Amino acid sequence: MSAELFSLFYQFADVFAFLILSAAGLAIVFGMMGVINMAHGEFIMCGAYVTVGLVNLGVPLPIAQILAALTAGIIGMIVEYLVVRRFYKRPLDSLLATWGLSLIVTQSMLLIVGSAVRGIGTPEGSFAIGGYTFSTYRLVLFGCAVAVLAGLYIIFMKTRFGVIARATMQNAAMAKALGARTGRIYSISFGIGTALAGLCGALYAPTMTLIPTMGATFVVESFVTVVIGGANVLLGTAPAAVFLAMIRMALNASYGQIIGQIGMLFAVILIIRVLPEGLSSVLVRRGR
Amino acid sequence: MLKLLDGPQTLGRGKIFWSCFVAVLAGALIYPLFADSYDVGNFAYFLIWIFMALGLCLMWGYGGMLSFGQTFFFGIAGYGYGVLAINMGGGTATIAALVLSVVIAMMAAGVLGYFMIWGGISGIFFGIVTLSATLVLAFFLGQTAGPEWHIGPARLNGFNGMKGMDPLTVGSFDIEGSALYYLMIALIVIVYVALRMLVNSSVGNVIVATRENPQRAEMLGYDVRKYQLLTFVIGSGLAGLSGALYTSWGQFITPSSIGLPAAAMPIVWVAFSGRNDLTATLVGSFLLLFGFQTITVYSQQAALVLMGVLLLATVMLAPQGFVLGIGKLVVDWWTRRRRRDEAPALADAGRLQSDET
């Protein structure tokens, strides 16, 4: 019995980790600037490629993953400086601009790198409970997702940067009038967002084949999580991921992957019909 | 009725514009007489996408609803045509399959649109939800390779796509080559004129008012949601028309005409052209499709990179669209020149008058 329970938890944790890791970066950028970064998937792809490249050069996997996240973060800040910066007052145009960017990056990668790169294989290691065996790496991913949430909590609730960042989220003009350098806050949070995307790619790189269009595997999940989560990362994205993971796990287990994904989309469409502003608006209202 | 053709919501009015329109149409009509039949077929092929572009122009430019999921409806109608044409048998039934598949796409738009519009979704989220639906459909169709995925005798075939449906046929006459070309031209003229009349009618004014300020439109007593749903259904139906025509033209469709790069295309055409005007969209999409066709011969990937660059350049340099912007510049220059020509004459007239007094 406990083996079955653990198996359920394991499946839940798998989907939950996937949703949180792919959505956290997007949610921060969205929460801060109201901008949906359509090139999010390409930052994930960047993280994965850098990881695999470094590992093939002989760098140990965890270090390669951290370096990959940092690379994505730095590229993100450059992109923010060159492109995204101009569009804070025109969120829909920022969507188009980042989509254009995403097309450029994906297709250039296809031209330059070709369609597939030699993967690095999932780190070995599994454990058994009852009659089931589980891959350890999947649990590591779950641990990372929880760590990301904890890290975001600490950054946004316990540091000076977090206070100013939240003030900027609430009312950018007011924060600026009070002396916060909102431009820099935007730049840093975009960097954090893309670094998290890079981390997602880095963490999932060992588990999947690398193709330049791999970003698309993540975008649906990350977008819908952010859409039904609403603008608040901790109060929106995390509960949304729990909720979606439960739906998806149940459907996956009984009907298979594809029904899981379609069912999740239906759930999302139903949820927005009922809660147009996302889960976080309800939770925030309850909290008051 | 005809007054609606030259209403406030469309640029390009008066004798000069309509003479140009007739000239272009005449050129298009005589083109097959002296062109290669292969070229004519190709030409018909890229005209297929004009409908999707015009539909998006209506939804986005006039209605303010940016749908990233035009290929969702393109795909539904495209696959719908295939399934129906195979199941109903070829021949004249293909016309019914075409109509029915567009109706199915519009019904899908009605359902999706109901949930989104009555759920109060707007702006960014509208795009995200439509895009998600698109990606899920592409993903779903991509894994239908097994023999268990069939509707009647029609196999979906996963990534390899669906094939084996008949082209559009009337009696025993296949609508191909120049016949298809003339059908396209006729449909484009009908759709263009009908959309012009729609946006200039009172319904069109409400649609534009909703784009400008939904609350105000609501206060004026319009049920904004109904107008938005109408716009969404018409726009998506046009995307569906493109899809059904596409399948009937090539007698195949694959999930890749629904996925991400394909979904970006209509947005690029309409954004580049100028989303606020039907004529600009028509002209711009035509130019882009023509260019795209030429570049794709060398490399599909390079063509898509160029599309990305165009989209980025448009938003950064000319948010209203290049074709519309250039068109406005030309019109400005024209009116200024005319005014300058008239100005000395007026001044002369003034002098004469003062001489008389």
Side-chain angles (χ1 to χ4, degrees), chain B residues 125-169:
Chain B
F125 292 116
F126 201 88
I128 301 296
V129 175
T130 44
L131 181 66
S132 308
T134 305
L135 293 180
V136 169
L137 180 69
F139 177 64
F140 166 73
L141 289 169
Q143 57 84 59
T144 53
E148 70 275 21
W149 292 101
H150 65 92
I151 301 170
R155 287 258 320 255
L156 295 179
N157 277 334
F159 275 116
N160 294 324
M162 197 176 165
K163 49 186 180 297
M165 61 291 278
D166 283 351
L168 278 179
T169 310

Side-chain angles (χ1 to χ4, degrees), chain A residues 21 44 46-55 59-73 120-123 137 140-141 144 194-207:
Chain A
L21 287 172
I44 294 178
C46 162
Y49 270 84
V50 172
T51 308
V52 171
L54 287 175
V55 168
V59 180
L61 181 63
I63 295 173
Q65 287 172 327
I66 292 167
L67 287 175
L70 286 176
T71 313
I120 46 176
T122 315
Y137 191 67
V140 172
L141 290 178
C144 290
T194 52
L196 285 174
L199 181 69
C200 172
L203 288 171
Y204 280 95
T207 68

Side-chain angles (χ1 to χ4, degrees), chain B residues 206-223:
Chain B
V206 178
I207 291 171
V208 173
T210 309
R211 176 194 72 196
E212 290 300 323
N213 191 333
Q215 280 88 22
R216 191 177 295 165
E218 190 125 38
M219 292 302 175
L220 288 170
Y222 298 102
D223 190 346

